Amino acid sequence: MNHSTSKIEVFGKSFLLESAKAENLYFGFAKEMPIIDYHNHLEPDVISNNQNFLSPTAIWLDGDHYKWRAMRNFGIDEQFIAGNASDLEKFKKWAEVVPNTLRNPLFHWTHLELKNPFGIKEYLSPKNAKFVYSQMNASLQTTEFLPQSIIKNFKVEALCTTDDPADDLAYHKALKDSSFETSVLPTFRPDAYISIINPEQYLSGIKKLEKVCGTEINSASDLLNALQSRINYFAENGAKVADHGFEYFPDTTLWNQNLETELSEFLKGNKPTFSDPEALCGYLLKELCRMYNKKGWVQQFHVGATRNNNSQMLGKIGINAGYDAISEQYFAQRLSVLLDELNSSGQLTKTIIYNLNPTFNEVLATLAGNFNEGGIKSKVQFGAAWWFLDQLDGMKKQMNTLSNIGVISTFVGMLTDSRSLLSFSRHDYFRRLLCNMFGSEMERGLLPNDEEWVGKIIQDICYHNTKNYFEF
C-alpha cells in the first residue's frame, strides 16, 4: 500500500450520507454544532496535567476493551493486548486485525480516529503499520496533540467524567481554575458503596469513605449521611449528574428492620457477610434518588451488563478488560415501581435509562413515557444506544424505537461512554447517521421537504436538548 491520500470512501465527505437531503442536513446544521459529552470515563488527571501521550498505543489501545476483544477474537496472544509487549509490537498486532474488522464498528471508528485528528487518510494494515505509527507518534509530540488541544479540536463545550464519591476532585478544581475553556464536570458514581459484590472489597471502600468524610459508618443511616455529604461536595464542584450501573435492577421494596440490624453488625466487623445485598442496594438507591432530586441533578441508570465473565482473566488483568456481556435479566417492572414511588412523592428527578439488551428497547421506551410532566421535555429519557449497541444498527434501532414510541425531537443525543480522548469522533458518526435517517425519509416524502424545519430538530438532538436538559 502506498502512502498517498488517494480517495477512499470511508473518508469521503459523504460518508454515511446517502442522499442530497442528508448532506444538506449534516453540513448545514449538524457538523459544526459543539459537543456536550455528558457521560464518559475520561481521566481528569490526564486532562488537567495536559502532558503529551508517550505513544500511539498509549492514546489509542491502552485500556480500550473494544479493540482488545477484537484482537482476542482474531487469536492475538494476550502479551500483545494487555501484556508486556512493546507499544510498537502491540500497534502492529492491532494493524493485523483492523483489515479483518469489516462490518464491525471498530473498522469505521479506527479510520475516523486516524483521519481526525491525525489527518491520516488510508486504511491501516500490516503494510503501513510502521509508517502510521511513526506519523501518529510525530503528531503526539506537538502541542496540537496535548489532551486539552484534542478536546478543543473536537469542539467539546462540556464533558462529564465518572467519579468515585470519595474522590477529592482535585483535578476538576484545577481545571476550573485554569484557562481551559471546556467545562470538565464530575459525575457521582456510588456503585461501590451500594452494591456488595465482594464483602472484603466493599468494607475496604467503606473505610475509604469514612476517611474522606471524617466519620464512622456503622449503620445504614451513617452510610446515607456520608453519601449525602459527598453529594454536597460534588455539587459544590459543579456536578449535575449521578450515574449507576447495574447488571439487573434491584428490588427497592425489600428493606426492613432486621436487615438494618444485620447491616450494622456487618459494618462493625461482627459478621463476615451480609445476607441480602439486593435489598441494601435497592434501599440505598431509592434514598440517593431523593437526594439527587433535591439537588436538581440528572440520574442515569445503565442496566444490563453482566461483568467479568472470565474469572481467570479477571484475576490476571482485573475489571474493564473486555470480558463483559449483555445480561438477559428483565428489570422494567422493578424500575417502574421505583419511578412511580418517587413520582408519587414529588421526588423524581430527571432520569435517563440506558438499555444494553435490545430485546427490551420497546419495553423501556414505553416505560420512560409514563413519568413526564409540564415544563420539562422528556423528563424520563430512553437513553442513547450503549456499549455493545453504539454501532449503526444499534443506534438506528434505539432512535427508531424512540421515534415510534416517544418524541425523538426531545432526545438528548449521543455520548461517548469512553476512556479515550479520540472517541469524540463518535459524535460525528452519530450525527451523520442521524442526518441520513431524516434525510432519507425527506427524500421518500415521509417527512416535510423543509430543511430549516428538520434542521432545527437535528440541531436540538445534537446539542440544544442536552444543554437545556442538564442545565449546563
Side-chain angles (χ1 to χ4, degrees):
M1 180 179 292
N2 63 45
H3 304 316
S4 68
T5 56
S6 58
K7 186 176 181 181
I8 301 174
E9 181 60 30
V10 73
F11 299 119
K13 72 170 187 175
S14 298
F15 177 56
L16 299 184
L17 305 173
E18 299 172 326
S19 68
K21 293 296 183 188
E23 289 190 19
N24 292 345
L25 290 174
Y26 174 74
F27 291 107
F29 298 93
K31 184 176 186 294
E32 298 302 326
M33 297 301 289
I35 287 174
I36 296 177
D37 198 61
Y38 53 90
H39 174 68
N40 60 62
H41 297 274
L42 295 176
E43 298 170 310
D45 58 326
V46 172
I47 303 172
S48 179
N49 292 334
N50 203 33
Q51 298 294 312
N52 290 100
F53 287 92
L54 295 177
S55 73
T57 302
I59 192 174
W60 214 32
L61 298 179
D62 287 356
D64 190 333
H65 52 80
Y66 287 86
K67 295 186 178 77
W68 288 2
R69 283 175 70 95
M71 294 174 79
R72 292 178 186 127
N73 276 335
F74 200 65
I76 301 297
D77 190 86
E78 193 64 34
Q79 67 170 317
F80 300 105
I81 303 172
N84 57 7
S86 71
D87 282 4
L88 179 57
E89 289 174 322
K90 289 179 178 179
F91 189 94
K92 286 181 175 179
K93 288 296 183 182
W94 170 237
E96 287 181 26
V97 177
V98 171
N100 297 281
T101 61
L102 297 180
R103 303 200 77 243
N104 184 291
L106 282 166
F107 185 77
H108 287 160
W109 294 344
T110 292
H111 295 104
L112 289 173
E113 290 165 1
L114 286 177
K115 182 184 178 186
N116 186 15
F118 290 98
I120 298 171
K121 300 179 181 179
E122 56 184 271
Y123 291 119
L124 179 62
S125 74
K127 294 179 182 179
N128 67 350
K130 193 171 182 180
F131 168 80
V132 171
Y133 184 91
S134 176
Q135 192 168 336
M136 290 177 73
N137 203 39
S139 295
L140 287 171
Q141 308 315 309
T142 68
T143 57
E144 287 78 12
F145 282 79
L146 291 168
Q148 293 182 15
S149 301
I150 293 172
I151 292 170
K152 184 178 180 180
N153 168 73
F154 283 111
K155 299 188 180 74
V156 181
E157 183 176 293
L159 63 89
C160 296
T161 60
T162 303
D163 307 281
D164 189 295
D167 197 300
D168 63 8
L169 305 181
Y171 296 107
H172 295 86
K173 292 179 181 179
L175 283 162
K176 185 178 180 181
D177 293 338
S178 73
S179 60
F180 187 45
E181 294 179 357
T182 300
S183 296
V184 180
L185 305 176
T187 294
F188 188 80
R189 177 80 176 238
D191 295 3
Y193 305 98
I194 71 171
S195 297
I196 303 176
I197 298 173
N198 178 297
E200 290 184 9
Q201 289 180 358
Y202 180 81
L203 291 174
S204 177
I206 292 295
K207 293 297 181 187
K208 183 168 65 171
L209 192 60
E210 286 180 330
K211 185 175 181 180
V212 74
C213 292
T215 183
E216 289 189 357
I217 298 175
N218 292 318
S219 66
S221 59
D222 288 346
L223 178 52
L224 286 170
N225 287 336
L227 291 171
Q228 177 70 75
S229 73
R230 299 312 295 168
I231 287 172
N232 295 342
Y233 182 78
F234 270 59
E236 291 166 6
N237 287 281
K240 295 176 178 288
V241 188
D243 187 61
H244 292 261
F246 301 106
E247 177 176 340
Y248 61 93
F249 206 80
D251 189 327
T252 56
T253 67
L254 300 175
W255 194 247
N256 58 50
Q257 186 57 52
N258 289 337
L259 291 174
E260 181 106 26
T261 301
E262 183 191 349
L263 179 68
S264 293
E265 293 301 302
F266 171 64
L267 291 172
K268 292 173 184 175
N270 298 329
K271 280 180 62 67
T273 61
F274 181 69
S275 66
D276 201 337
E278 182 185 338
L280 175 65
C281 183
Y283 169 68
L284 294 174
L285 173 64
K286 183 161 56 178
E287 295 304 313
L288 285 170
C289 289
R290 290 171 171 147
M291 297 177 192
Y292 305 151
N293 180 66
K294 286 184 179 179
K295 293 294 183 186
W297 282 6
V298 174
Q299 60 190 11
Q300 302 183 112
F301 299 142
H302 288 82
V303 190
T306 172
R307 300 174 188 268
N308 307 315
N309 293 274
N310 188 324
S311 57
Q312 181 186 32
M313 296 308 291
L314 175 64
K316 289 183 178 179
I317 303 175
I319 63 173
N320 300 320
Y323 295 99
D324 307 318
I326 294 174
S327 170
E328 60 182 354
Q329 298 267 2
Y330 176 81
F331 63 93
Q333 191 58 44
R334 289 180 173 182
L335 176 58
S336 179
V337 168
L338 174 63
L339 295 180
D340 185 53
E341 182 174 348
L342 294 169
N343 186 64
S344 297
S345 61
Q347 295 174 304
L348 178 61
T349 196
K350 288 178 279 191
T351 304
I352 305 177
I353 308 163
Y354 301 95
N355 172 46
L356 196 55
N357 189 331
T359 306
F360 303 140
N361 275 1
E362 283 78 6
V363 174
L364 293 168
T366 55
L367 175 59
N370 293 331
F371 299 100
N372 291 314
E373 64 182 54
I376 305 173
K377 293 181 178 179
S378 294
K379 179 178 180 178
V380 179
Q381 296 251 346
F382 176 50
W386 168 47
W387 200 342
F388 292 108
L389 305 182
D390 64 352
Q391 21 75 6
L392 291 181
D393 186 54
M395 288 191 284
K396 284 180 184 176
K397 287 178 178 176
Q398 186 271 340
M399 287 192 279
N400 282 332
T401 298
L402 180 55
S403 299
N404 289 329
I405 290 172
V407 181
I408 196 171
S409 63
T410 63
F411 179 35
V412 292
M414 194 57 178
L415 64 160
T416 64
D417 192 24
S418 174
R419 291 168 173 79
S420 171
L421 286 168
L422 301 180
S423 292
F424 290 116
S425 60
R426 293 183 196 174
H427 283 268
D428 185 64
Y429 196 59
F430 168 82
R431 291 174 181 186
R432 288 174 179 270
L433 172 62
L434 177 70
C435 291
N436 191 57
M437 292 175 70
F438 275 81
S440 66
E441 295 192 359
M442 291 173 71
E443 295 273 355
R444 292 158 54 201
L446 297 175
L447 295 179
N449 186 24
D450 187 327
E451 291 177 7
E452 291 294 329
W453 180 354
V454 178
K456 178 187 179 301
I457 289 175
I458 293 292
Q459 289 187 329
D460 285 345
I461 295 170
C462 292
Y463 173 74
H464 294 297
N465 291 343
T466 309
K467 191 176 181 70
N468 294 332
Y469 187 80
F470 290 89
E471 300 179 23
F472 288 128

